[in-house]
Amino acid sequence: MFSLYEDFVRRLLFLVDPEKIHEYALHALSLASSLPFVSGKAQGSPLRREVFGLSFPNPVGLAAGFDKNGIAIPALAALGFGSVEIGTVTAVAQPGNPKPRMFRVPESEAIINRLGFNNRGAAAMAERLQMLRPSRQWPAIPVGINIGKSRIVPLENAVEDYLKSLRLLREHGDYFVLNVSSPNTPGLRSLQDPAALGPLCATLRRELALKPLLLKIAPDLTWKEVDDILATAESNGISGIIATNTTIDHSKVPISRRTQGGLSGTPLRDRSYEILKYIKTRSRFPVISVGGIMHVTDALARFDAGADLIQLYTGFIYRGPGFIRQICRALRERR
Ligand SMILES: Cc1cc2nc3c(=O)[nH]c(=O)nc-3n(C[C@H](O)[C@H](O)[C@H](O)COP(=O)(O)O)c2cc1C
């Protein structure tokens, strides 16, 4: 069946360098966000869900990394997302890794990225959100803020670095995510070790008071490591788990396409699904399932496996904005 997005728009978009087209698209969404009619109207929705104390008009969210600086929140809400997670933001503004650092693998319906948390820093984000929050442009959907470690800060000072971002941003987000799972910041994933994770979660939890604090984990963990993370998260007041980030396992993409970075999209689907099922059998945590949701059937399978919410990134790129509504329609038809 002909799809306007996949057969026409995507073909054109994919002619351009992936990071460039991302910048153009985000810029357009950012401009659209300042239009008076692009605002977050509250909608009564049969898909509404209450998760970790927040109300989501639908369970399909935008994953972190798309709007790293939080410049296009109203337009992203207007596309139909039930939540938007902005970031990853770091305390220190940073340029990220040298370009090129984002690659499409169309034959695998995948993306490989090694952006390395390019962002304008937590203070700049706080300033922007401070103006947007009280305005009519602020959407009626939860906005999460995903926080990472600044590259120049040594791992042993990670807690203070996360804390700095959290203090600047805590008034502005509806929920917060501790990103300890990106493969593109050296050593970051070692913060998933209980000895480092415990103090990090405990400190940020205290600082945040009642707002939800989530942990985003990698797909490349052993079951024992997942168990340890769940136990540490439980004893340190974590509100939910986001599973998963991109994978460093490139075995499912052609050898010629492999390059350093985190892999997302179809090759991540099965692992992300497995981890969701595992967490659901081993804990009572709410889970936001993300990774390789490329078809409506993938989304439905996540909810069947107990996902409380889902997020899209690569599926949004490959299927287009209509994908959000397709998933929502399928969910409504199933009720
Ligand atoms: C280009 C790109 C940039 C990303 N940047 C971030 C990021 O800054 N922080 C983060 O937590 N995840 C980031 N991610 C990971 C996504 O949020 C998501 O966890 C992952 O891509 C798996 O979902 P998907 O298969 O639907 O893309 C990024 C993914 C991509 C493709």
Side-chain angles (χ1 to χ4, degrees):
M1 205 175 64
F2 176 80
S3 150
L4 179 64
Y5 180 81
E6 287 181 44
D7 297 308
F8 183 69
V9 179
R10 191 178 83 187
R11 279 177 193 230
L12 291 178
L13 297 178
F14 276 22
L15 295 174
V16 185
D17 167 76
E19 191 170 348
K20 268 270 159 299
I21 201 70
H22 181 82
E23 278 167 17
Y24 296 149
L26 201 59
H27 187 64
L29 287 166
S30 167
L31 288 177
S33 291
S34 55
L35 298 174
F37 50 86
V38 178
S39 64
K41 289 199 193 69
Q43 286 167 346
S45 167
L47 299 181
R48 186 168 286 282
R49 299 190 174 202
E50 316 295 321
V51 187
F52 38 78
L54 297 176
S55 183
F56 296 76
N58 73 61
V60 185
L62 176 65
F66 188 89
D67 186 1
K68 286 179 187 276
N69 296 298
I71 60 171
I73 300 169
L76 290 165
L79 291 180
F81 282 114
S83 58
V84 171
E85 191 172 308
I86 58 174
T88 293
V89 65
T90 54
V92 182
Q94 54 186 40
N97 289 321
K99 294 178 184 176
R101 53 193 182 172
M102 189 168 164
F103 310 88
R104 299 182 194 101
V105 190
E107 61 272 50
S108 308
E109 295 208 312
I111 295 174
I112 298 175
N113 93 84
R114 49 169 181 266
L115 292 166
F117 295 165
N118 52 315
N119 78 103
R120 297 176 198 157
M125 180 184 276
E127 210 172 290
R128 192 164 320 103
L129 298 186
Q130 192 158 15
M131 296 195 317
L132 191 62
R133 207 23 142 167
S135 79
R136 293 179 59 192
Q137 303 291 117
W138 189 265
I141 59 170
V143 174
I145 302 181
N146 180 308
I147 297 175
K149 185 186 77 66
S150 310
R151 195 183 176 101
I152 55 157
V153 171
L155 270 178
E156 52 273 25
N157 299 339
V159 176
E160 291 112 83
D161 188 61
Y162 279 88
L163 202 52
K164 201 169 163 194
S165 296
L166 192 73
R167 284 188 174 139
L168 284 163
L169 289 162
R170 70 181 154 197
E171 305 305 322
H172 306 297
D174 294 308
Y175 72 86
F176 290 82
V177 182
L178 263 171
N179 183 0
V180 285
S181 50
S182 164
N184 300 314
T185 296
L188 188 84
R189 286 170 302 153
S190 68
L191 295 175
Q192 293 174 123
D193 296 344
L197 190 61
L200 179 61
C201 294
T203 308
L204 297 200
R205 174 74 282 166
R206 266 197 305 277
E207 196 65 26
L208 203 49
L210 291 175
K211 286 193 178 179
L213 178 63
L214 282 69
L215 197 59
K216 184 164 180 180
I217 65 169
D220 310 302
L221 299 161
T222 63
W223 296 131
K224 161 87 172 71
E225 286 169 331
V226 176
D227 284 338
D228 289 347
I229 288 172
L230 293 175
T232 308
E234 240 162 61
S235 49
N236 288 287
I238 290 294
S239 327
I241 306 289
I242 304 189
T244 66
N245 215 313
T246 55
T247 178
I248 52 169
D249 175 5
H250 290 197
S251 58
K252 289 187 182 156
V253 296
I255 292 175
S256 62
R257 296 306 211 131
R258 294 179 199 168
T259 181
Q260 202 195 331
L263 173 68
S264 57
T266 301
L268 177 58
R269 175 176 49 204
D270 295 349
R271 182 65 188 155
S272 168
Y273 177 69
E274 256 189 326
I275 294 197
L276 161 68
K277 282 204 301 191
Y278 189 80
I279 298 172
K280 278 295 174 183
T281 55
R282 307 288 282 198
S283 78
R284 300 167 70 93
F285 277 119
V287 178
I288 302 183
S289 183
V290 50
I293 300 175
M294 305 297 288
H295 298 274
V296 169
T297 46
D298 299 329
L300 298 180
R302 301 300 165 103
F303 293 115
D304 290 342
D308 297 86
L309 303 166
I310 60 168
Q311 288 178 339
L312 311 174
Y313 191 130
T314 308
F316 178 55
I317 304 293
Y318 277 86
R319 302 283 172 260
F323 191 36
I324 309 159
R325 288 180 209 282
Q326 282 169 19
I327 297 173
C328 288
R329 193 179 317 126
L331 283 171
R332 272 195 303 273
E333 281 166 6
R334 274 199 347 171
R335 288 163 63 88

